Amino acid sequence: MTQRTKILLIYTGGTIGMVKDYETGVLKPFRFEKIKERLPELSQLDSDIEHFSFDPPIDSSDMNISHWERIAKSIEENYQEYDGFVVLHGSDTMGYSASALSFMLENLSKPVIFTGSQLPIGDLRTDARENLITSIRLASLKENEQPVIKEVCLYFEYKLYRGNRTTKIDAENFQAFDSPNYPTLAESGVHLKVHDEFLYKKERQEPLRIFTKFDPNVAFLKIFPNITQPILDGILNLPNLKGVVMETFGSGNAPTCQWFLESIEKAIKKGVVVVNITQCMRGFVLPNKYEAGSHFENIGVINGKDITSEAAITKLMYLLGKNIDSKSLKIKYEKEVQGEIS
């Protein structure tokens, strides 16, 4: 007889945890202690399901480092008791949170699956039911008494993605997420198909530890045609700024005018870490393809390769929090930490 798995649901907030009052039309938080009444299908799973809810629930637009830390500590405190974790989260910033948790949960060897929905769990046409049930099923998968999935993932609309490879692409349709530069880890259809060759695997397994000292002193810098020097310098000279994720054109291209290149170089010499990522949904930063890219490489700009914006900014917070020197940070950033870059 197959032993039942234990899954912990961590509800942070978001649409998936709301129900509509049909008399007033107002959405209100769902009481998760009654989840089996709302979703009797859960009793068909070979899992014992318990839950923990943020009180009050957090709108995902308000997510910050302290909330990521709370999720990480909830997992750490319950790590030995449960086989897997499903984090219920608003979709707007889910890609950021999944990326952040992939770095916070060092040496993770159990599944942590983020999911949510576009419609409330009580809605007649909701996508919450399938997203939740399949996420629990995926978190329960075992082979030879070991978890099949040993990383932070994101499940939405029949597809499982690596969490730090995801980005939200649609606010209207159920297929809200994509993993532009890495294959899908699993697909839910008539059968649940897991692509084992794409799952994250570690050579050595060490005890879980969490690292939560993320540095918030970072910013995005999106390059656009006719960007002016006052705007560029205004961002690069922000008080307490320690790192910038610079979103450039195509394969890492940017203006080649002297003042632009000098401003970037001056910021780096001042100690600001600059990461170069592409604005494109898919593709790599290729630093030697064009003039600006070659200059960036010479002055110490970090090559973000094919990392998403969500993973780029959270990885920068993570490594800045390690208080390592700029040379070591560049080396570590340009190597994968949790499968976030190719």
Side-chain angles (χ1 to χ4, degrees):
M1 184 177 177
T2 304
Q3 186 175 0
R4 293 175 66 85
T5 55
K6 291 188 67 177
I7 303 298
L8 180 65
L9 300 182
I10 301 173
Y11 174 60
T12 66
T15 301
I16 193 171
M18 307 298 286
V19 290
K20 183 183 288 186
D21 184 323
Y22 285 99
E23 291 185 2
T24 64
V26 174
L27 292 177
K28 57 184 181 181
F30 173 70
R31 294 174 61 187
F32 274 88
E33 62 267 22
K34 294 190 175 184
I35 193 167
K36 288 187 179 179
E37 294 179 20
R38 177 71 64 172
L39 296 177
E41 302 97 318
L42 293 177
S43 62
Q44 298 178 39
L45 297 172
D46 293 326
S47 301
D48 294 322
I49 302 163
E50 297 181 19
H51 78 279
F52 163 76
S53 297
F54 279 24
D55 186 17
I58 305 299
D59 186 303
S60 71
S61 297
D62 290 324
M63 273 287 161
N64 58 42
I65 294 172
S66 68
H67 300 130
W68 296 338
E69 179 178 356
R70 190 175 176 190
I71 298 169
K73 287 187 174 179
S74 297
I75 292 170
E76 181 187 39
E77 291 166 1
N78 294 282
Y79 195 68
Q80 299 306 321
E81 188 176 349
Y82 293 90
D83 298 291
F85 304 86
V86 174
V87 181
L88 306 178
H89 193 290
S91 63
D92 285 349
T93 59
M94 194 186 298
Y96 288 96
S97 294
S99 296
L101 266 291
S102 76
F103 301 122
M104 279 189 174
L105 299 171
E106 299 177 338
N107 304 322
L108 181 67
S109 62
K110 293 183 179 182
V112 174
I113 299 178
F114 279 76
T115 196
S117 64
Q118 297 286 67
L119 291 175
I121 199 168
D123 196 277
L124 185 63
R125 297 178 51 252
T126 186
D127 54 330
R129 180 177 288 102
E130 198 283 325
N131 286 347
L132 176 56
I133 290 172
T134 305
S135 293
I136 294 171
R137 181 75 183 94
L138 287 162
S140 303
L141 290 177
K142 285 193 173 187
E143 189 174 275
N144 299 323
E145 299 303 315
Q146 293 297 316
V148 171
I149 297 164
K150 302 178 181 180
E151 58 180 297
V152 177
C153 299
L154 188 155
Y155 180 82
F156 225 90
E157 189 64 6
Y158 305 114
K159 291 184 178 180
L160 181 73
Y161 309 103
R162 176 164 297 158
N164 56 32
R165 290 286 195 152
T166 59
T167 189
K168 188 173 181 181
I169 60 167
D170 203 318
E172 291 292 323
N173 295 299
F174 288 145
Q175 193 170 340
F177 287 88
D178 192 15
S179 173
N181 289 311
Y182 196 77
T184 303
L185 303 183
E187 296 171 46
S188 175
V190 175
H191 301 288
L192 194 59
K193 186 176 181 181
V194 177
H195 303 296
D196 184 72
E197 67 273 25
F198 299 132
L199 296 176
Y200 192 62
K201 298 176 177 65
K202 296 179 181 175
E203 294 181 3
R204 294 188 307 165
Q205 192 55 60
E206 300 176 13
L208 175 75
R209 64 170 181 257
I210 65 170
F211 181 84
T212 60
K213 296 180 181 178
F214 278 31
D215 195 321
N217 297 297
V218 296
F220 277 113
L221 168 60
K222 187 165 186 172
I223 305 304
F224 57 91
N226 204 55
I227 187 171
T228 63
Q229 187 169 3
I231 289 175
L232 180 65
D233 288 343
I235 294 172
L236 294 176
N237 291 306
L238 287 169
N240 304 316
L241 183 69
K242 294 183 182 178
V244 170
V245 174
M246 179 173 61
E247 297 183 340
T248 55
F249 309 126
S251 51
N253 310 319
T256 57
C257 45
Q258 195 64 29
W259 67 261
F260 182 92
L261 300 175
E262 286 178 353
S263 290
I264 300 295
E265 185 172 7
K266 184 178 178 181
I268 292 173
K269 287 182 177 179
K270 193 174 65 175
V272 176
V273 176
V274 180
V275 180
N276 185 12
I277 69 171
T278 175
Q279 295 178 16
C280 298
M281 179 70 75
R282 291 177 170 81
F284 282 78
V285 167
L286 302 172
N288 291 315
K289 192 171 182 179
Y290 296 100
E291 181 182 346
S294 297
H295 182 78
F296 287 159
E297 188 173 37
N298 292 334
I299 63 175
V301 171
I302 294 172
N303 182 357
K305 301 182 181 180
D306 63 344
I307 198 168
T308 64
S309 295
E310 293 89 339
I313 199 77
T314 51
K315 184 177 183 178
L316 188 55
M317 293 178 187
Y318 168 72
L319 289 177
L320 285 169
K322 295 280 188 178
N323 289 319
I324 55 180
D325 62 84
S326 58
K327 184 177 180 180
S328 298
L329 191 149
K330 184 177 189 298
I331 292 170
K332 287 182 179 295
Y333 200 104
E334 293 181 347
K335 291 181 179 179
E336 65 92 8
V337 175
Q338 297 292 346
E340 71 286 352
I341 57 175
S342 300

